[in-house]
Amino acid sequence: MKILHTSDWHLGHQLHGYNRDFEHQAFLDWLAQTLEQEQVDALLVAGDIFDTANPPASAWRMLYRFLARMAKSMPALNVVMIGGNHDSPSKLDAPHELLRAFDLHIVGGIHRLADGELDTERMLVPLTNKAGEQAAWVLAVPFLRSADLRTEDLDEEDDRLIKGVETLYGEVTEAARQLQQPEQALIGMGHAYMASGKLSEMSERRVLGGNQHALPASIFADDMAYVALGHLHLAQRVAKKEQVRYSGSPLPLSMSERGYNHQVVLVELDGASVASIAPLSVPRAVDMLKVPSSPAPLEQVLEELKALDVDERPREEQPFLEVHIQLDTPQALLREKVLEALAGKAVRLAKITPHYLQQQAQNGLGQRRLSDVTPQQVFSLSWSQKYQGEPDEAMAAAFESLLIAVEDSDAVES
């Protein structure tokens, strides 16, 4: 049985104001062709299907058009998707019954029964092979918000968020074992920040309280054949375990991700165990350029931009450009000077990053935009400027709790 693991599509994403539908459609076309060529039995999408809780209609159309194509060309394909921290659980769950009739399973959020018990049935999805035989169970656990967890009865000495996640995964795993038959594999799914994961701070929001609440790989039982993770955009193993992986995003979601090897992961099962794991690189439809390679004075940068040689192509296919400029003081009409140097060139100016040497020495954040730093960095800097020193552990934990409460409140309103 073949399984294709992908995640973090972020349909509807814009990069510094530029629409990316062309890139997403190119990826979905490539993905459909790959599924057909490899004769894959199941497609797993591990969260952040959309970029926002309220994606544009074009993003929904793109998703449904892809699902309709696969239902026509590969009617036996199993499709399992879970919600991520960027997705709205209620919006993903709304078409559940309709999609389920076509063997398409989207689990936006967890559900509890009238007595408060976890509805594990909703999260356990059977996978069938080409012969129509059930070959695996998927534990489709979406992104978990603190309100999803039951922590009232946990020992106060434990980290309640981590313990709450462990308890929930334990319940789903035990329910799967009750249904599992010999030679059927258990496949885990999750959307979370795992301990030892490498974070791209420009486009990935830390979840469950950031590094302080990074989840251990031990939340996944040893008898899981494979664990398909989403959230981190850099493809990687977790805790050096070959079978516990982030597939990474299929395209760069910030200029800082230009060097990533974006991929999906093809997993082949032999009974209840993994026979092979093969990453497949995703072709990049639109390039990302950085000029110059390291910050340089304005005049030098403008000369390099004037000498930039790029092929003529349609607007949506033009490469994105980030310009790094070394300055002593803020420069008037900086953007206008850069655009003038780029006149007539088939590139899209995404970002100008000024580097101020004096301010960087005095200020930990330099001249970076607020959108380019994490809430934790802003809090730490504000604290040090007012109280001379780093916030202590209790204060940092209090800030994390407030941040989680705000993010949960935003998710509920969405």
Side-chain angles (χ1 to χ4, degrees), residues 29 69 304 403:
D29 290 342
R69 170 176 174 174
E304 287 197 37
L403 186 60

Side-chain angles (χ1 to χ4, degrees), residues 4 18 24 76 114 117 139 158 200 210 218 226 231 258 339 390:
L4 196 69
Y18 292 109
H24 275 118
E117 291 298 308
L139 287 66
D158 293 323
S200 166
S218 59
Y226 184 79
H231 178 56
R258 69 170 66 83
L339 288 173
E390 293 293 318

Side-chain angles (χ1 to χ4, degrees), residues 74 77 100 154 163 167 216 242 270 308 318 331 346 386:
M74 300 183 70
L77 178 70
R100 188 175 180 181
L154 299 179
K163 198 65 179 178
T167 300
E242 288 291 335
D270 182 7
L308 188 64
Q318 293 176 0
Q331 180 76 227
K386 189 170 184 178

Side-chain angles (χ1 to χ4, degrees), residues 135-339:
W137 286 97
V138 173
L139 287 66
V141 181
F143 170 63
L144 299 173
R145 295 170 170 83
S146 54
D148 295 328
L149 309 176
R150 293 292 181 262
T151 59
E152 301 86 356
D153 300 328
L154 299 179
D155 192 323
E156 290 190 6
E157 294 183 1
D158 293 323
D159 186 309
R160 293 195 172 199
L161 281 174
I162 293 178
K163 198 65 179 178
V165 173
E166 287 179 335
T167 300
L168 190 145
Y169 267 97
E171 289 181 47
V172 180
T173 303
E174 187 55 39
R177 287 176 181 147
Q178 297 299 318
L179 299 172
Q180 183 185 23
Q181 298 296 317
E183 295 302 303
Q184 290 181 353
L186 295 184
I187 308 296
M189 286 186 77
H191 189 92
Y193 179 44
M194 305 300 298
S196 81
K198 298 176 184 177
L199 187 74
S200 166
E201 66 180 61
M202 291 300 110
S203 63
E204 296 158 359
R205 294 171 55 200
R206 299 176 185 181
V207 294
L208 279 175
N211 286 327
Q212 185 180 355
H213 292 99
L215 301 173
S218 59
I219 66 172
F220 304 113
D222 291 337
D223 56 345
M224 286 193 190
Y226 184 79
V227 178
L229 293 171
H231 178 56
L232 299 191
H233 301 163
L234 177 64
Q236 58 195 278
R237 295 173 300 162
V238 174
K240 298 182 180 179
K241 294 178 180 289
E242 288 291 335
Q243 77 280 13
V244 183
R245 291 179 178 244
Y246 287 100
S247 65
S249 61
L251 62 151
L253 294 161
S254 75
M255 297 301 290
S256 66
E257 295 177 11
R258 69 170 66 83
Y260 285 11
N261 178 23
H262 295 273
Q263 59 187 237
V264 298
V265 184
L266 183 64
V267 181
E268 192 158 359
L269 297 175
D270 182 7
S273 59
V274 170
S276 66
I277 298 175
L280 306 177
S281 295
V282 178
R284 186 168 294 185
V286 172
D287 202 3
M288 287 185 161
L289 307 177
K290 178 183 177 181
V291 176
S293 56
S294 59
L298 178 59
E299 291 305 317
Q300 178 183 332
V301 172
L302 294 178
E303 288 302 316
E304 287 197 37
L305 293 176
K306 290 176 183 177
L308 188 64
D309 185 19
V310 288
D311 296 331
E312 197 63 42
R313 62 191 71 197
R315 183 66 168 168
E316 68 272 13
E317 299 180 38
Q318 293 176 0
F320 297 109
L321 173 65
E322 181 176 9
V323 179
H324 287 258
I325 306 175
Q326 184 177 304
L327 297 171
D328 294 325
T329 59
Q331 180 76 227
L333 302 176
L334 181 61
R335 186 176 182 84
E336 285 74 7
K337 293 177 181 178
V338 170
L339 288 173

